[in-house]
Amino acid sequence: MHRSRFLAKTTALSVAGVLVALPAFAQTGQPQIEQLMQQLETQKKMMDNISRELEKVRTEQTKQAATGGGDVEVTTKGGLAVKSKDGNFEFKVGGRLQADYNSYDQDKTELGDGTEFRRVRIHVEGKMFKDWAFKIEPDFANNGVSLKDVYLQYKGFSDVGITVGQFKQPFSLEELTSSRHITFMERALPNVFSLAHRIGVGFNSNGDNWSAGLAFAGGVEGNDVSNEGDESYTTTARLTFAPIHGKTEAIHLGVAGSWINPRDEAIRIRQRPEAHVTSVRFVDTGTIPGKINNQFLYGFETAAVYGPFSAQGEYMTLRTTRDTLANLSFDGWYGYLSFFLTGESRTYDPKKGRFDRLKPTRAVPDGGYGAWEVALRYSGIDLTDEDINGGGEKNVTLALNWYPTPYVRLMANYIWVNNDNKATGSSAPLLPGETFRGDDDPQIFLLRAQVDF
């Protein structure tokens, strides 16, 4: 802008000088006058060029004012994001809302139909000075506040990222896939073994077709051990490999393991029947007696995508060693198939070893029908071993999902529950005429409306 002003002043002085000199030159004859006229024409062209440059500057200033200035960019795709043009600073606001309805076809115990906000989350995330990233995500569901991801990351190394705070431990494909993108409304029965969010330090690395994670963690935020005891600590590692990965084809292989020292924490394992409105757990170990030395958790993962078809499965086993009582072993598994009636493919990220957002080929706002998906899952868990009669459960779930846009999803699940005769963990009242809690096999219908940004 300063340069344009300088050019304008210089040109104006030149033209004035020519005009002042014109009468004197007129006395010298016609050739000199013609020469002056050519100079005036040249100066006029220069003035026209300067005017065009000034107009460009004014246009650029208008654009900068509309986007909040020349140093930042504001975008609203999938959320509100502000970042500096040099890429050193970024700030984004996002969230998710999941509103659920559950209805129960009772068998032996009373299960109440009802509604709930399964998740109500707002998160802020971003980066500072290019290499430092952060995220804060509280959940306001069920009239309370709980912290989920709350961490600081350093990304300055080319090969390794470092995370400090509360974050998901590197275990289980379904656990690490966001609840926004999992195929069924609730994760499968063996998910109860996953460590989920814990406070600690983690290291991650990846290539084009693999990922690796290692974490050292303590307990969950807000989980105070009774009688001033020491909280547990864990070491968890995961490795994934994708020999095939593309937009419509992928193969995922993964293995993970965790060593857990419970210290003074009481250990109890129990699981809902893949429906969250009820608080009933049919399978329940109760508080495990005896002094627990260590626990060893292993997980094996596999998934495949071929066009609109996909398959996914996991097996997990938890082994517990005790001082004087017998060691214990519990396990669980699931497998499922899904198919997109509208031809889309599940989105797989080989650098993180998990699935990501589904994008309809033709979203409803674009005049299409969105994406339609059907899926069928078979899952099981066994919490009975030695002196522990926690029971076993096997479920079959049929799902129908509609994605009108990439950020809106409507879901319906129907679950057939099959508990064995040791699955007596339910504390709900028995129905009239029933005297035994085992072999309770209800059926469950679930609906969800979900939006995230």
Side-chain angles (χ1 to χ4, degrees):
M1 185 66 180
H2 296 301
R3 182 183 177 192
S4 300
R5 289 176 180 173
F6 174 76
L7 290 173
K9 290 180 180 179
T10 303
T11 304
L13 290 174
S14 300
V15 173
V18 173
L19 293 175
V20 170
L22 184 58
F25 278 98
Q27 298 176 1
T28 64
Q30 185 67 26
Q32 287 79 4
I33 293 176
E34 291 179 355
Q35 183 178 359
L36 286 173
M37 294 301 293
Q38 292 176 357
Q39 292 179 2
L40 284 172
E41 183 64 25
T42 301
Q43 297 293 346
K44 180 177 180 300
K45 292 180 179 179
M46 290 178 61
M47 289 294 292
D48 290 340
N49 290 335
I50 291 172
S51 296
R52 284 192 290 269
E53 291 298 323
L54 289 173
E55 183 61 29
K56 290 181 180 179
V57 171
R58 283 194 292 270
T59 301
E60 183 63 27
Q61 289 177 335
T62 301
K63 290 181 179 179
Q64 292 176 1
T67 58
D71 296 331
V72 299
E73 296 178 352
V74 179
T75 60
T76 58
K77 183 179 180 181
L80 177 62
V82 180
K83 68 177 181 178
S84 60
K85 286 190 174 180
D86 60 11
N88 287 327
F89 296 88
E90 185 173 348
F91 181 83
K92 182 179 180 180
V93 178
R96 76 190 72 170
L97 169 65
Q98 296 174 340
D100 287 9
Y101 169 73
N102 289 187
S103 176
Y104 299 88
D105 183 3
Q106 304 166 141
D107 183 24
K108 290 188 174 183
T109 57
E110 294 184 2
L111 301 171
D113 300 350
T115 59
E116 70 169 348
F117 287 112
R118 181 66 175 89
R119 296 176 180 89
V120 182
R121 298 184 187 178
I122 298 292
H123 71 258
V124 293
E125 61 181 318
K127 65 180 179 180
M128 304 175 292
F129 304 102
K130 190 176 181 179
D131 295 327
W132 297 91
F134 64 90
K135 185 176 182 180
I136 302 173
E137 184 177 52
D139 193 329
F140 301 95
N142 299 311
N143 294 320
V145 179
S146 61
L147 294 178
K148 298 303 179 180
D149 287 326
V150 183
Y151 58 73
L152 176 68
Q153 286 182 323
Y154 181 70
K155 300 181 177 181
F157 301 121
S158 59
D159 298 325
V160 178
I162 304 174
T163 303
V164 178
Q166 178 161 286
F167 54 92
K168 282 187 176 182
Q169 301 303 288
F171 190 93
S172 172
L173 169 61
E174 191 166 47
E175 178 64 40
L176 294 174
T177 297
S178 170
S179 65
R180 298 169 297 170
H181 312 314
I182 56 177
T183 301
F184 297 84
M185 287 177 56
E186 298 295 333
R187 294 181 172 95
L189 291 171
N191 178 255
V192 69
F193 297 129
S194 297
L195 300 177
H197 291 88
R198 287 179 177 248
I199 300 175
V201 57
F203 305 88
N204 65 278
S205 185
N206 66 267
D208 290 337
N209 63 351
W210 63 272
S211 73
L214 174 66
F216 305 95
V220 180
E221 190 278 331
N223 185 20
D224 188 19
V225 181
S226 61
N227 299 321
E228 293 304 314
D230 296 322
E231 71 178 17
S232 64
Y233 58 85
T234 67
T235 300
T236 307
R238 179 176 184 251
L239 179 65
T240 71
F241 175 60
I244 298 175
H245 58 93
K247 290 185 177 181
T248 61
E249 296 181 7
I251 292 179
H252 165 92
L253 301 172
V255 60
S258 183
W259 170 70
I260 307 163
N261 187 330
R263 297 214 278 185
D264 296 319
E265 290 187 0
I267 301 300
R268 180 183 187 181
I269 305 170
R270 54 181 182 164
Q271 178 65 302
R272 287 181 168 92
E274 298 176 340
H276 196 266
V277 168
T278 181
S279 60
V280 167
R281 278 88 160 175
F282 297 106
V283 288
D284 184 354
T285 64
T287 300
I288 296 177
K291 171 61 177 176
I292 297 178
N293 295 322
N294 298 290
Q295 291 184 300
F296 300 92
L297 176 63
Y298 307 99
F300 303 91
E301 316 164 6
T302 184
V305 176
Y306 184 73
F309 294 94
S310 72
Q312 180 176 317
E314 294 188 67
Y315 172 79
M316 303 177 195
T317 182
L318 177 65
R319 304 185 185 279
T320 301
T321 64
R322 298 185 288 182
D323 263 353
T324 57
L325 298 177
N327 296 335
L328 303 172
S329 180
F330 307 125
D331 63 357
W333 46 266
Y334 75 86
Y336 73 79
L337 301 172
S338 81
F339 175 68
F340 280 94
L341 303 173
T342 45
E344 289 83 0
S345 298
R346 294 182 72 195
T347 304
Y348 176 72
D349 185 349
K351 295 183 178 181
K352 295 181 178 180
R354 68 187 187 194
F355 287 94
D356 212 328
R357 184 179 306 279
L358 188 283
K359 298 179 181 179
T361 302
R362 291 196 63 194
V364 171
D366 299 327
Y369 296 98
W372 289 85
E373 178 186 23
V374 293
L376 183 66
R377 179 174 69 190
Y378 188 34
S379 62
I381 189 170
D382 184 2
L383 299 183
T384 297
D385 192 35
E386 299 293 343
D387 56 311
I388 304 299
N389 291 314
E393 181 177 338
K394 296 181 177 66
N395 292 349
V396 175
T397 305
L398 178 64
L400 175 65
N401 300 323
W402 179 42
Y403 307 75
T405 80
Y407 301 94
V408 176
R409 179 165 62 161
L410 302 180
M411 310 176 71
N413 287 185
Y414 197 90
I415 307 171
W416 290 267
V417 178
N418 182 14
N419 290 301
D420 66 17
N421 61 6
K422 294 182 179 180
T424 59
S426 171
S427 59
L430 287 168
L431 294 174
E434 298 293 341
T435 59
F436 177 62
R437 294 187 178 277
D439 292 317
D440 194 351
D441 303 331
Q443 297 180 27
I444 312 172
F445 178 60
L446 300 83
L447 292 173
R448 171 175 294 170
Q450 170 183 306
V451 61
D452 74 278
F453 58 95

